[in-house]
Amino acid sequence: MLTVYNCIVHQHDLRLVVLAALICGISSFSAVNLLRHVQQSTSRNRYAWLLIAATATGFGIWATHFIAMVAFTPGIPNAYNAELSALSLAASVILTAAGMWIATARGGIEHYLVGGAVLGAGIATMHYTGMAAFEVQGRIVWNQLLVALSLVAGITLAALALLVVLRRPSTPATITAAILLTLAICTLHFIAMAAVSIYPDSSIEISQFTIAPISQAFAAAAASLVILVLSAAALRIDLRFRRHKVEAERMHGLANAAVEGLIVCDGSRIVSANDSIAALSGIAATTLNTMTLGELFGERVASCIAGGNRQAQEAELTSHDESRIPVELIARSIDYCGKPHDVVAVRDMRDRRKAEQEILRLAHFDPLTGLANRRSFTSRLEAEIAAADRSGEGGQLALILLDLDRFKEVNDLFGHAAGDALLQRVAQCASSVLRQGQMLARLGGDEFAIIAPNLPDPQAAGRIAEAVLSKLRQESQLSPGGELVSASIGIALFPLDADEQTSLVSHADTALYRAKAEGKDTYRYFEASMGAETRDRRAMEYDLRQAVARGEFSLVYQPQKEISSGRMIGFEALIRWHHPERGNIPPSVFIPVAEDSGAIAQIGEWVLATACEEAVRWKNPLMIAVNVSAVQLHNPNFSRKVHEILLKSGLPAGRLELEVTETALIKDMPRALATLRQVKALGVHVAMDDFGTGYSSLSNLRAFPFDKIKIDGSFIKSVDRNGQVAAIVRAVLGLGRGLGLPVLAEGVETLDELRFLDAEDCEIGQGYYLGRPGPIETFSELTGVLAPAANDSVTPRGGSILMLEPAAASRSA
């Protein structure tokens, strides 16, 4: 625009114009730099930065204007009004501060543009207020078009300057914004000056209170000095800020690599927080940077850390939802951005607390059933006995011990997972019948205990026991294999049966063993007479577990012969126990104890191995029959164990016959069938023992791969005189012939029984009449081992059984 050009070239001192432009550029660069700090500052120091930025910018605008005015040479006397000059400076600073505050109050283009427009309005207000302070000996006439143009140019360029520097802060944006702000100030000034026309008028006098241009020049110079000082300070602050920002970003990056929460604080004020503490608290890191330690952990903890406490301490972190999170705090001193700070490591304690609670729970509760364990049981029983002693009100304290019947069979038949499930069901059943104040505990294995204090009478304990048994019976009816879910219960009362804890537990245990001995699935109270019997049974259980290792067991052998010819078929191995103190103990006494205590598995394996090792030495290849218990049969490794024994002993599999009772089969028929098929695959023979005394005999004969049927001795006794028994035996013999299975009759004790069996075509016999059980050495003539010994059998080798003389039969019996 030519008018502006003429104004600058012909009416201004160009040297001072350049100086004004330089000062304007410096102040503009300082302004946009400081403005970035205002935007990035927190609420605590934002107003300080705003004041510094507004002062530097306002003084820069004012100095630019008045240096340019000093450069203006109208050619007539002129001066400046002091009040209006000061007012223009104040307007410049205030409106600049208002524009910057609006622009940085919140993000958004509209705020940047409005704030920049207010800043531009401040430039215009300062200029035209400053022009009002300009007094000249003449009349001033304004070109309204150029005035409007100056306002539009100044406000637009100022708005663009703030938009550029605040929208995407960067070094190029800072430089561009500084240029735009410089243009806004200079363009508004010189277009506005071009709009001025001065007509000399000597009648107009300049006020005596005005400031001479030279004085105004000094004032502008002072303002320029302020600008330079503030600009230098801003530059220094900016450089330090950049350095600290790089350092802070580097440390923040390292802190974010830490798993634990890290907080850097100045005193109690948080200046930096990593992502881990933000995730733990649920509070954004930017928000944490505006908080204090007291707001997060409480004032007491904050005071300890600010006071230099470097010991680890536990506290509670207040999360975003006001919930409390247990944490451990460890504080250390560091140099952060050139100043001492505290860094606080925040460790989440929730997992540790859970682990501690779990350890505490495991120390006092059974992990499988959730019941109190032996430790809790002992403590509770001791406390209840002490309380009963103190009260002395006559109430009964009952200790009820519960032990599952045949639990070992459940584990052996169905596996440990089924055993665990059974224990859990028992715990649920027993717990459901107890009242408040009564305690159920699992002492270990399949042992449970109930502590029932303050019972009105001794019979109340029996009602509890009966309720438990009834609940278990209901559970049995609902569960597969439920016949195995039963229990035996023993009851002892304090102070009736015992006056201290150890004796009370011992007496309840004694009553429990009596319940097991009397049929199981029942309960018994302790009686004084039970003590000796229980101690005897427990001693026997202990001795049974040691008997194999001590060599106290031995085998005797009973012959099995063809009835028609008297030919020797083989032997059945029978166990005998000679106790070093008790002497000979009958199998009918110790076998049930061995089955209940679980010792039968070890004993059965020893019998099988010993019989095979003995039979392999016989010159005559006779059969050896060995009884197998239910526990052995249902052991998943039984067939493998038989194979190992055969390989170790060298006995041909075809010479071994395993005798299995029907009772052993029904516990788990699928597993029993699978085991017998595996045994048969080895070449071993399988016989059904005690036929007729078990369950579902006909279906068992059809389902299982038996090689022989053994009629129980109870059917052979008096078979020659009892018509009904004779009919049963004939039916079994006919069944065997129909199935193609040989039948062996046990318990043959008289010649008449033998003749009846021979007449009915029974193939094999075993009994006292055919040969008593004895050591294998007594049958050396039959086995072909050592020298011939006295023949325990009365049957002539190869002779007919019908040729036996009565005298010979008498000797055999």
Side-chain angles (χ1 to χ4, degrees):
M1 184 179 288
L2 189 58
T3 303
V4 178
Y5 173 77
N6 290 333
C7 175
I8 296 174
V9 173
H10 300 295
Q11 298 178 7
H12 288 76
D13 184 339
L14 293 180
R15 292 171 298 177
L16 292 177
V17 169
V18 172
L19 178 61
L22 180 62
I23 291 174
C24 181
I26 293 172
S27 66
S28 297
F29 183 78
S30 174
V32 296
N33 246 327
L34 292 170
L35 187 61
R36 288 174 56 191
H37 288 287
V38 173
Q39 184 187 36
Q40 297 172 1
S41 298
T42 63
S43 58
R44 300 178 186 277
N45 54 15
R46 182 167 176 266
Y47 293 106
W49 281 107
L50 183 64
L51 179 62
I52 295 172
T55 301
T57 306
F59 271 74
I61 297 169
W62 190 85
T64 299
H65 171 79
F66 281 102
I67 290 175
M69 287 300 295
V70 171
F72 181 60
T73 54
I76 55 177
N78 58 84
Y80 296 92
N81 184 288
E83 290 81 2
L84 290 176
S85 295
L87 180 62
S88 66
L89 177 60
S92 175
V93 173
I94 292 171
L95 290 176
T96 297
M100 289 182 172
W101 181 83
I102 293 171
T104 58
R106 64 179 66 180
I109 295 176
E110 64 278 6
H111 282 81
Y112 302 154
L113 292 176
V114 171
V118 172
L119 176 60
I123 297 171
T125 301
M126 184 251 104
H127 176 83
Y128 286 106
T129 303
M131 287 301 297
F134 181 64
E135 294 186 11
V136 65
Q137 197 171 17
R139 290 181 295 106
I140 299 177
V141 179
W142 294 92
N143 184 328
Q144 298 299 325
L145 179 61
L146 290 178
V147 169
L149 182 61
S150 70
L151 292 174
V152 171
I155 292 173
T156 301
L157 289 171
L160 290 175
L162 264 61
L163 175 65
V164 169
V165 73
L166 294 177
R167 188 177 183 187
R168 290 188 178 88
S170 63
T171 300
T174 301
I175 296 172
T176 302
I179 293 172
L180 288 172
L181 188 58
T182 301
L183 289 175
I185 298 170
C186 293
T187 300
L188 187 146
H189 177 85
F190 288 109
I191 292 178
M193 290 304 296
V196 173
S197 296
I198 301 175
Y199 296 95
D201 187 348
S202 57
S203 63
I204 299 174
E205 294 183 359
I206 298 175
S207 173
Q208 59 180 342
F209 299 106
T210 57
I211 301 174
I214 190 63
S215 300
Q216 192 73 355
F218 279 112
S224 299
L225 181 61
V226 171
I227 295 167
L228 290 174
V229 171
L230 289 175
S231 298
L235 181 61
R236 181 181 177 184
I237 290 171
D238 185 61
L239 291 174
R240 188 176 66 180
F241 176 80
R242 289 173 184 273
R243 185 175 68 254
H244 288 174
K245 183 178 180 182
V246 170
E247 182 180 350
E249 288 177 350
R250 180 176 60 83
M251 292 192 67
H252 191 68
L254 292 173
N256 281 336
V259 176
E260 295 179 339
L262 292 176
I263 296 175
V264 179
C265 51
D266 184 5
S268 64
R269 184 174 63 86
I270 298 173
V271 298
S272 180
N274 70 348
D275 292 343
S276 295
I277 186 64
L280 177 62
S281 64
I283 303 173
T286 53
T287 304
L288 287 170
N289 293 342
T290 65
M291 299 176 66
T292 65
L293 289 177
E295 293 174 304
L296 284 181
F297 308 110
E299 294 300 332
R300 182 189 63 81
V301 175
S303 300
C304 288
I305 294 175
N309 186 347
R310 297 298 177 258
Q311 298 296 322
Q313 56 182 313
E314 294 186 3
E316 288 186 338
L317 168 66
T318 303
S319 66
H320 71 289
D321 58 359
E322 300 300 323
S323 62
R324 302 283 185 173
I325 301 173
V327 294
E328 183 182 51
L329 306 179
I330 302 175
R332 294 290 184 269
S333 297
I334 62 168
D335 182 81
Y336 183 78
C337 298
K339 182 182 177 182
H341 285 71
D342 290 324
V343 60
V344 182
V346 183
R347 183 174 300 160
D348 188 355
M349 295 279 288
R350 287 177 294 187
D351 289 342
R352 184 194 294 181
R353 291 282 175 85
K354 287 180 181 178
E356 290 173 351
Q357 292 174 358
E358 180 65 14
I359 291 171
L360 185 63
R361 189 185 70 81
L362 292 175
H364 294 89
F365 294 92
D366 173 49
L368 177 63
T369 61
L371 300 176
N373 62 9
R374 184 179 290 273
R375 174 183 293 181
S376 295
F377 161 78
T378 302
S379 300
R380 175 69 179 275
L381 183 59
E382 183 178 356
E384 292 293 350
I385 289 175
D389 267 338
R390 286 194 302 269
S391 65
E393 295 177 357
Q396 298 289 327
L397 169 64
L399 174 60
I400 304 172
L401 294 186
L402 181 151
D403 190 89
L404 300 187
D405 301 327
R406 300 180 298 276
F407 177 69
K408 190 175 187 306
E409 292 183 28
V410 175
N411 274 337
D412 292 338
L413 297 179
F414 305 107
H416 290 286
D420 291 345
L422 175 59
L423 292 173
Q424 291 170 337
R425 294 205 308 274
V426 170
Q428 293 169 1
C429 291
S431 298
S432 66
V433 304
L434 299 185
R435 296 179 180 178
Q436 186 175 3
Q438 297 174 349
M439 174 187 183
L440 174 66
R442 182 187 175 205
L443 305 184
D446 60 336
E447 289 184 81
F448 295 83
I450 297 173
I451 300 174
N454 303 318
L455 297 180
D457 51 63
Q459 289 71 33
R463 291 192 290 271
I464 295 173
E466 185 56 46
V468 172
L469 294 176
S470 177
K471 194 72 176 178
L472 290 178
R473 294 182 191 116
Q474 294 175 15
E475 181 69 18
S476 296
Q477 296 173 359
L478 299 175
S479 304
E483 68 277 358
L484 296 178
V485 186
S486 65
S488 299
I489 296 177
I491 303 172
L493 300 172
F494 175 90
L496 184 62
D497 296 326
D499 58 0
E500 53 89 23
Q501 179 176 335
T502 303
S503 298
L504 188 67
V505 173
S506 176
H507 292 345
D509 202 31
T510 298
L512 169 64
Y513 272 90
R514 171 58 65 88
K516 280 188 172 295
E518 295 185 0
K520 306 184 174 90
D521 193 25
T522 187
Y523 69 92
R524 290 289 181 268
Y525 284 92
F526 171 76
E527 298 173 3
S529 60
M530 294 179 179
E533 296 177 12
T534 302
R535 286 191 295 273
D536 183 68
R537 182 181 177 90
R538 289 180 180 172
M540 182 177 292
E541 287 182 1
Y542 176 80
D543 291 339
L544 276 172
R545 293 190 180 95
Q546 315 300 320
V548 172
R550 293 173 178 172
E552 297 174 2
F553 289 121
S554 62
L555 294 183
V556 294
Y557 298 84
Q558 186 170 27
Q560 296 175 343
K561 299 181 179 181
E562 282 187 357
I563 292 178
S564 60
S565 65
R567 185 174 63 88
M568 187 69 182
I569 300 297
F571 292 94
E572 179 180 3
L574 303 172
I575 189 170
R576 296 293 183 265
W577 182 20
H578 182 78
H579 192 278
E581 297 175 0
R582 302 169 185 250
N584 293 323
I585 302 176
S588 59
V589 174
F590 73 81
I591 291 296
V593 177
E595 290 178 340
D596 288 342
S597 65
I600 192 65
Q602 180 191 18
I603 295 172
E605 184 178 331
W606 176 86
V607 170
L608 181 61
T610 304
C612 290
E613 291 171 0
E614 175 59 43
V616 79
R617 294 198 295 265
W618 304 340
K619 293 184 179 181
N620 296 332
L622 302 174
M623 295 288 293
I624 181 67
V626 179
N627 288 285
V628 174
S629 69
V631 174
Q632 289 176 280
L633 181 63
H634 295 293
N635 188 323
N637 298 320
F638 178 66
S639 59
R640 179 177 60 82
K641 181 59 65 176
V642 172
H643 191 206
E644 290 177 356
I645 290 174
L646 290 172
L647 291 176
K648 184 177 180 180
S649 64
L651 181 71
R655 290 182 57 195
L656 175 63
E657 182 175 81
L658 300 181
E659 297 185 357
V660 182
T661 64
E662 290 178 291
T663 304
L665 300 177
I666 65 169
K667 301 297 184 184
D668 185 359
M669 296 186 68
R671 176 172 293 188
L673 178 59
T675 301
L676 290 181
R677 285 176 175 169
Q678 293 171 357
V679 170
K680 287 279 291 181
L682 299 174
V684 176
H685 295 269
V686 179
M688 177 180 281
D689 197 10
D690 298 338
F691 183 78
T693 62
Y695 308 92
S696 305
S697 299
L698 298 180
S699 63
N700 288 338
L701 285 175
R702 180 173 58 87
F704 289 91
F706 292 111
D707 298 294
K708 183 185 296 181
I709 301 174
K710 294 186 70 175
I711 304 177
D712 187 70
S714 61
F715 293 100
I716 304 302
K717 188 175 182 180
S718 303
V719 69
D720 55 320
R721 299 189 302 272
N722 190 317
Q724 291 181 337
V725 173
I728 293 173
V729 173
R730 289 190 186 99
V732 175
L733 292 173
L735 181 63
R737 285 191 294 270
L739 295 174
L741 296 177
V743 178
L744 185 151
E746 294 184 292
V748 181
E749 297 184 352
T750 67
L751 178 61
D752 291 335
E753 291 171 357
L754 188 63
R755 286 172 174 169
F756 174 86
L757 293 172
D758 184 51
E760 298 296 332
D761 294 329
C762 180
E763 300 178 48
I764 308 170
Q766 176 181 340
Y768 281 6
Y769 189 79
L770 299 176
R772 288 177 174 272
I776 194 62
E777 292 78 14
T778 62
F779 304 104
S780 58
E781 183 181 352
L782 298 176
T783 60
V785 178
L786 301 178
N791 190 1
D792 189 48
S793 172
V794 296
T795 307
R797 182 178 295 178
S800 170
I801 196 67
L802 297 180
M803 298 297 293
L804 288 171
E805 295 294 334
S810 177
R811 287 194 303 272
S812 175

